[in-house]
Amino acid sequence: MTQNSEALTDKTGAAVIVSPDPAKRRYTVSVEGQVAGFTQYADRTAQGSSQRVFYHTEVDDAFGGRGLATILVKEALDDVRAQGKRIVGVCPLVAAYLKKHPEYSDITDPVTKDVLTWLGV
């Protein structure tokens, strides 16, 4: 999924691949062929816009501290941008990433009561 020619690597230098998995409505992050984590989403249309609502992200404890969640979220958000969709960061990790990276503010919608009700939260 990486758009540039540089290979993704984690903090240990291991090769990382982020892949969309539309059947399960998630993106996965793999290290040397082993799935290490994922970010889950739901797609909705609101006010004429297509939104990708990220509601859960996790990385296996065995892969902790390697920066995989950050790589995963960045690649997922870049893919959302490429698809012309908007982002809603319900997941605390995605919300924190968005707060630290204002370059996504042009495609970010707020988490509202309507979004939470729609998600069933």
Side-chain angles (χ1 to χ4, degrees), residues 9-11 14-18 29-31 34-37 57-60 62-74 93:
T9 57
D10 69 8
K11 291 179 179 178
V16 175
I17 296 173
V18 175
V29 61
S30 300
V31 178
Q34 185 176 357
V35 175
T57 303
E58 66 180 66
V59 173
D60 189 299
F63 294 92
R66 296 171 67 165
L68 295 175
T70 300
I71 293 168
L72 171 61
V73 170
K74 180 196 181 307
L93 193 140

Side-chain angles (χ1 to χ4, degrees), residues 32 38 46-47 50 57 68 70 92 95 105:
E32 299 175 340
F38 63 90
Q47 300 155 359
S50 293
T57 303
L68 295 175
T70 300
S105 63

Side-chain angles (χ1 to χ4, degrees), residues 81 86-87 98-99 101-110:
R81 182 184 294 281
R86 299 189 60 77
I87 299 162
L98 289 168
K99 192 172 187 177
H101 295 273
E103 64 268 25
Y104 295 101
S105 63
D106 62 320
I107 61 166
T108 300
D109 290 337

Side-chain angles (χ1 to χ4, degrees), residues 44 46-47 49-54 86-91 94-95 98-99 104-119:
R44 74 188 289 252
Q47 300 155 359
S49 295
S50 293
Q51 295 176 322
R52 182 148 288 173
V53 181
F54 289 91
R86 299 189 60 77
I87 299 162
V88 181
V90 174
C91 167
V94 174
L98 289 168
K99 192 172 187 177
Y104 295 101
S105 63
D106 62 320
I107 61 166
T108 300
D109 290 337
V111 177
T112 62
K113 185 175 181 179
D114 183 48
V115 170
L116 296 176
T117 300
W118 175 82
L119 269 178

Side-chain angles (χ1 to χ4, degrees), residues 6-29:
E6 284 184 41
L8 293 173
T9 57
D10 69 8
K11 291 179 179 178
T12 71
V16 175
I17 296 173
V18 175
S19 305
D21 185 353
K24 293 184 178 178
R25 294 184 318 257
R26 66 185 191 172
Y27 293 85
T28 60
V29 61

